[in-house]
């Protein structure tokens, strides 16, 4: 690397990640094999279209890369079709909508302040501007309220229901979502971005064969590069004819929506990285990893609850914890800053029925995927819970915060990033 300035910044970020612990639930540390795939000549190649049907010459090698990624995705998630080209989760969700909706159609996703994602129909997102959004909420207890979702669906008659979230600590009942979608003849999109690694590892139920379309990013619990996939069942139809909107035509509808509907050339180096991550996810070690993510999350949840932290829904079934900091007399933003000071990276987050604004919410969100990748287990969760508690408790005592920061540095040093 000859760009000294960028090299120094890359080294600084690597050091920041290594010396602290990363507990933003949507982040993870990929393997060196995934990183190696990203920084290759595959990055130079244009390949608009799909394997065997490209708009550029010289695609014979990259066709094999994309085919391998598609096959691995299909096998891992048990579907008949995979599109591995979406640049990331947001375009993947928009492409899914483009595939089955007309502008102005009604969509129903979990409201952002209740844990939903921007692209599930929030007003500032294209999905909330080109479609009519009728968001659903969680119940007062923070759990999805399927009866209320069914009632709202009966009233709003959406064309698409989105199941999935960015800040929901519990399992989804995919079958209930299916029943609700069927009751109003709506498509069902399952956004499994946060939990696709847990599904691949067999510790979370899969929506495959239940949802019409599955969208997922590839860099969260799945531990691949930043990217996304759209998965479905059906049969590809004649590519030169516009397919009717039937379930069997979903492969063609999705492919056309991704390219040329929304995107240009796929990032083949990323697709190679996704292929590597998908292979890693089939290994026995990954199942152990996925199990440990949840075990760590549950342990952390019980340790923090014991120390008076108020967990939304009272605990966690997956990789993340959503904590209402009101009872600790500190805002989410302040808690994020205090924890950053001691080397624990989390993010401020709204909690259901938050009395504060989304820009300065009451809660924090934290997760275990990255620290589990570094080999941390239940004993380390106990240490982290104690440090979080002490940091929040002694937030105005800089000497104490320095001591806690040193404890995190020691813990991090014992658990290196993947090599
Ligand atoms: N921004 C991601 C997250 O943090 O959950 C979702 O796209």
């Amino acid at each position: 690397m000859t760009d000294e300035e960028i090299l120094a910044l890359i080294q600084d970020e690597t050091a920041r990640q290594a010396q602290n612990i990363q507990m933003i639930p949507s982040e993870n540390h990929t393997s060196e094999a995934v990183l190696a795939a990203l920084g290759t000549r595959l990055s130079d190649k244009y390949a608009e279209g799909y394997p065997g049907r490209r708009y550029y010459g010289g695609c014979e090698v990259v066709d094999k890369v994309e085919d391998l990624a598609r096959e691995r995705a299909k096998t891992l998630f048990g579907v008949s079709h995979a599109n591995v080209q979406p640049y990331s989760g947001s375009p993947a969700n928009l492409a899914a909508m483009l595939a089955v909706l007309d502008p102005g159609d009604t969509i129903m996703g979990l409201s952002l302040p209740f844990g939903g994602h921007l692209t599930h129909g929030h007003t500032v997102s294209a999905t909330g501007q080109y479609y009519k959004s009728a968001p659903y909420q969680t119940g007062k207890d923070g759990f999805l309220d399927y009866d209320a979702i069914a009632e709202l669906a009966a009233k709003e008659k959406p064309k698409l229901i989105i199941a999935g979230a960015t800040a929901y600590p519990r399992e989804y009942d995919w079958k209930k979502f299916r029943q609700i979608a069927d009751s109003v003849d709506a498509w069902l999109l399952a956004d499994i971005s946060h939990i696709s690694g847990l599904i691949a590892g067999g510790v979370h139920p899969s929506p495959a064969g239940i949802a019409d379309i599955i969208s997922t990013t590839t860099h969260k619990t799945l531990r691949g590069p930043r990217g996304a996939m759209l998965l479905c069942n059906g049969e590809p139809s004649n590519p030169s004819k516009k397919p009717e909107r039937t379930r069997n035509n979903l492969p063609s509808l999705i492919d056309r929506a991704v390219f040329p509907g929304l995107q240009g050339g796929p990032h083949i180096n990323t697709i190679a990285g996704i292929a590597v991550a998908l292979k890693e996810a089939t290994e026995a070690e990954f199942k152990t990893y996925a199990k440990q993510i949840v075990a760590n999350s549950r342990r952390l949840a019980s340790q923090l609850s014991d120390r008076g932290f108020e967990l939304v829904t009272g605990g966690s079934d997956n990789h993340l914890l959503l904590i209402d900091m009101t009872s600790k007399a500190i805002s989410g933003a302040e808690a994020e800053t205090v924890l950053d000071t001691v080397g624990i990276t989390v993010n401020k987050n709204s909690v259901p029925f938050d009395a504060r604004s989304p820009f300065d919410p009451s809660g924090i969100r934290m997760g275990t995927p990255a620290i589990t990748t570094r080999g941390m287990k239940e004993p380390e969760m106990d240490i982290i819970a104690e440090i979080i508690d002490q940091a929040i408790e002694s937030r105005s005592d800089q000497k104490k915060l320095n001591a806690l920061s040193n404890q995190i540095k020691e813990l991090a040093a014992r658990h290196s990033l993947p090599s």
Side-chain angles (χ1 to χ4, degrees), residues 300 375-385 411 414-415:
L300 198 56
M376 296 187 201
K377 295 197 168 82
E378 286 86 344
E380 285 79 22
M381 298 308 115
D382 298 355
I383 296 170
I384 291 169
L411 179 69
R414 290 199 298 275
H415 299 274

Side-chain angles (χ1 to χ4, degrees), residues 161-391:
I161 295 178
I162 306 148
T166 56
Y168 188 63
R170 297 296 184 171
E171 286 187 357
Y172 300 91
D173 190 332
W174 305 119
K175 285 196 179 134
K176 278 199 179 143
F177 269 113
R178 178 76 265 168
Q179 282 164 7
I180 297 168
D182 285 345
S183 71
V184 292
D185 202 17
W187 297 96
L188 179 61
L189 166 64
D191 181 345
I192 60 166
S193 294
H194 267 262
I195 51 169
S196 51
L198 304 183
I199 291 170
V203 293
H204 196 291
S206 171
I210 301 172
D212 299 301
I213 307 174
I214 298 172
S215 67
T216 181
T217 48
T218 45
H219 47 271
K220 298 187 174 90
T221 47
L222 193 56
R223 215 163 56 177
R226 303 193 85 85
M229 307 190 290
L230 285 168
L231 312 168
C232 64
N233 288 314
E235 285 165 46
S237 56
N238 180 349
S240 55
K241 265 182 60 188
K242 194 165 179 232
E244 272 178 61
R245 284 192 178 133
T246 64
R247 212 168 259 167
N248 197 45
N249 282 344
L250 278 172
S252 303
L253 290 164
I254 285 170
D255 283 358
R256 288 168 75 105
V258 173
F259 174 85
L262 194 62
Q263 296 190 172
H267 299 172
I268 299 289
N269 57 326
T270 301
I271 291 174
I274 291 173
V276 174
L278 291 169
K279 184 162 186 245
E280 290 173 355
T282 61
E283 286 159 10
E285 186 274 332
F286 193 86
K287 284 195 168 45
T288 311
Y289 165 64
K291 221 166 146 188
Q292 191 64 48
I293 289 179
V294 177
N296 282 351
S297 199
R298 289 205 166 121
R299 180 63 159 250
L300 198 56
S302 78
Q303 289 285 317
L304 287 171
S305 290
D306 288 351
R307 290 169 172 82
F309 285 80
E310 215 176 282
L311 270 68
V312 172
T313 76
S316 172
D317 292 332
N318 56 23
H319 63 303
L320 76 79
L321 280 61
L322 185 59
I323 307 174
D324 186 344
M325 298 302 288
T326 311
S327 63
K328 295 283 178 184
I330 185 171
S331 72
E334 287 163 337
E336 177 190 300
T337 305
V338 169
L339 294 178
D340 233 356
T341 312
V342 301
I344 300 174
T345 311
V346 302
N347 70 275
K348 61 177 178 289
N349 215 97
S350 293
V351 295
F353 302 97
D354 205 324
R356 300 174 70 96
S357 102
F359 300 103
D360 185 17
S362 300
I364 52 173
R365 187 184 67 147
M366 63 174 71
T368 55
I371 54 176
T372 307
T373 292
R374 294 172 77 167
M376 296 187 201
K377 295 197 168 82
E378 286 86 344
E380 285 79 22
M381 298 308 115
D382 298 355
I383 296 170
I384 291 169
E386 181 58 23
I387 293 175
I388 289 172
D389 187 31
Q390 288 190 26

Side-chain angles (χ1 to χ4, degrees), residues 3-303:
D3 185 332
E4 296 297 333
E5 285 166 294
I6 286 293
L7 177 61
L9 291 172
I10 292 171
Q11 287 170 341
D12 284 353
E13 174 59 13
T14 308
R16 186 196 70 80
Q17 290 185 21
Q19 288 163 13
N20 301 326
I21 58 171
Q22 310 309 316
M23 295 191 67
I24 291 175
S26 46
E27 293 182 352
N28 209 334
H29 303 294
T30 64
S31 67
E32 287 282 332
V34 168
L35 283 186
L38 294 176
T40 61
R41 289 286 162 206
L42 294 173
S43 167
D44 299 348
K45 186 72 194 99
Y46 247 118
E48 281 179 4
Y50 291 97
R53 290 184 285 121
R54 303 283 194 188
Y55 288 85
Y56 291 83
C59 289
E60 61 277 11
V61 178
V62 299
D63 274 7
K64 289 182 189 160
V65 172
E66 188 167 343
D67 270 336
L68 208 45
R70 295 198 297 191
E71 287 310 312
R72 287 177 182 173
K74 282 156 54 176
T75 307
L76 187 62
F77 289 98
V79 291
S80 72
H81 185 74
N83 186 308
V84 294
Q85 293 195 2
Y87 298 143
S88 206
S90 300
N93 282 342
L94 190 53
M97 293 176 196
L98 203 56
V100 295
L101 301 176
D102 289 318
D105 281 349
T106 300
I107 61 173
M108 255 179 67
L110 181 60
S111 165
L112 182 87
F114 287 80
H117 192 251
L118 276 171
T119 60
H120 296 179
H122 194 271
T123 43
V124 299
S125 154
T127 59
Q129 294 177 31
Y130 290 98
Y131 305 105
K132 182 175 170 282
S133 180
Y136 56 88
Q137 303 182 342
T138 63
K140 286 261 183 287
D141 56 4
F143 282 86
L144 288 172
D145 178 345
Y146 294 95
D147 291 338
I149 298 170
E151 254 177 57
L152 187 67
K155 180 169 162 255
E156 297 288 345
K157 304 262 182 306
K159 287 268 169 58
L160 174 79
I161 295 178
I162 306 148
T166 56
Y168 188 63
R170 297 296 184 171
E171 286 187 357
Y172 300 91
D173 190 332
W174 305 119
K175 285 196 179 134
K176 278 199 179 143
F177 269 113
R178 178 76 265 168
Q179 282 164 7
I180 297 168
D182 285 345
S183 71
V184 292
D185 202 17
W187 297 96
L188 179 61
L189 166 64
D191 181 345
I192 60 166
S193 294
H194 267 262
I195 51 169
S196 51
L198 304 183
I199 291 170
V203 293
H204 196 291
S206 171
I210 301 172
D212 299 301
I213 307 174
I214 298 172
S215 67
T216 181
T217 48
T218 45
H219 47 271
K220 298 187 174 90
T221 47
L222 193 56
R223 215 163 56 177
R226 303 193 85 85
M229 307 190 290
L230 285 168
L231 312 168
C232 64
N233 288 314
E235 285 165 46
S237 56
N238 180 349
S240 55
K241 265 182 60 188
K242 194 165 179 232
E244 272 178 61
R245 284 192 178 133
T246 64
R247 212 168 259 167
N248 197 45
N249 282 344
L250 278 172
S252 303
L253 290 164
I254 285 170
D255 283 358
R256 288 168 75 105
V258 173
F259 174 85
L262 194 62
Q263 296 190 172
H267 299 172
I268 299 289
N269 57 326
T270 301
I271 291 174
I274 291 173
V276 174
L278 291 169
K279 184 162 186 245
E280 290 173 355
T282 61
E283 286 159 10
E285 186 274 332
F286 193 86
K287 284 195 168 45
T288 311
Y289 165 64
K291 221 166 146 188
Q292 191 64 48
I293 289 179
V294 177
N296 282 351
S297 199
R298 289 205 166 121
R299 180 63 159 250
L300 198 56
S302 78
Q303 289 285 317

